[in-house]
């Protein structure tokens, strides 16, 4: 009986952690800003790209999910849901974000993730998730 109870407890724990891993929101493009002791890079090249992209595609705003702070030096993530984008616009936006990220090198580093999953509650108690319009 004791072995059965232990087995059931293990199965329950494993299934609960598996279900937890699958919860969250998928974002087509996520940018992580990292610090290497000197702060994080400026997001100006990214903002300039978004402004140009909106103008070229006759858009008034692009939704951005800001997740942060994630560390002691202001690290954060920006997630782009890309709602109402055509497949071609998504592809162009993703490649443009990669080019803009290559220009953000003055401090820290930037990582562009494609099809990233953000799990609510996976961050420290200070972290907030807010929606912005760029």
């Amino acid at each position: 009986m004791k072995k059965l109870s232990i087995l059931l407890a293990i199965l329950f724990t494993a299934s609960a952690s598996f279900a937890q891993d699958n919860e969250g929101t998928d974002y087509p493009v996520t940018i992580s800003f990292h610090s290497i002791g000197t702060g994080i890079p400026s997001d100006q090249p990214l903002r300039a790209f978004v402004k140009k992209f909106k103008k070229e595609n006759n858009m008034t705003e692009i939704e951005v999910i800001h997740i942060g702070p994630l560390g002691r030096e202001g690290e954060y993530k920006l997630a782009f849901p890309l709602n109402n984008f055509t497949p071609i616009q998504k592809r162009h936006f993703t490649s443009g974000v990669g080019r803009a990220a290559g220009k953000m090198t003055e401090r820290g580093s930037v990582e562009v993730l494609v099809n990233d999953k953000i799990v609510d509650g996976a961050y420290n108690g200070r972290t907030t998730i807010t929606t912005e319009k760029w």
Side-chain angles (χ1 to χ4, degrees):
M1 186 66 157
K2 186 176 181 180
K3 289 181 183 179
L4 180 61
S5 297
I6 292 172
L7 179 63
L8 288 174
I10 291 171
L11 288 173
F12 178 77
T13 304
S15 66
S17 66
F18 177 78
Q20 204 173 39
D21 289 343
N22 289 330
E23 293 177 5
T25 305
D26 291 319
Y27 292 99
V29 179
T30 303
I31 303 169
S32 294
F33 291 79
H34 305 284
S35 172
I36 309 172
T38 58
I40 56 172
S42 169
D43 66 356
Q44 281 311 112
L46 178 62
R47 287 183 182 270
F49 163 72
V50 170
K51 183 178 179 180
K52 180 181 175 188
F53 185 86
K54 289 189 318 186
K55 185 175 182 180
E56 290 173 352
N57 290 279
N58 297 319
M59 296 177 163
T60 56
E61 58 188 29
I62 293 178
E63 183 179 11
V64 181
I65 310 300
H66 183 274
I67 305 161
L70 297 175
R72 290 184 278 172
E73 295 184 26
E75 295 90 345
Y76 66 96
K77 285 186 177 187
L78 294 176
F80 293 88
L82 305 186
N83 297 331
N84 303 319
F85 278 46
T86 66
I88 293 172
Q89 287 174 326
K90 285 182 181 181
R91 192 170 53 247
H92 287 161
F93 187 85
T94 303
S95 63
V97 165
R99 286 190 304 276
K103 298 175 185 176
M104 295 186 270
T105 59
E106 77 280 2
R107 298 184 298 177
S109 65
V110 177
E111 179 183 16
V112 177
L113 303 167
V114 178
N115 296 323
D116 190 26
K117 183 181 290 269
I118 305 293
V119 179
D120 295 338
Y123 300 104
N124 63 44
R126 299 181 315 129
T127 302
T128 59
I129 300 175
T130 56
T131 302
E132 301 174 3
K133 303 291 183 183
W134 281 14

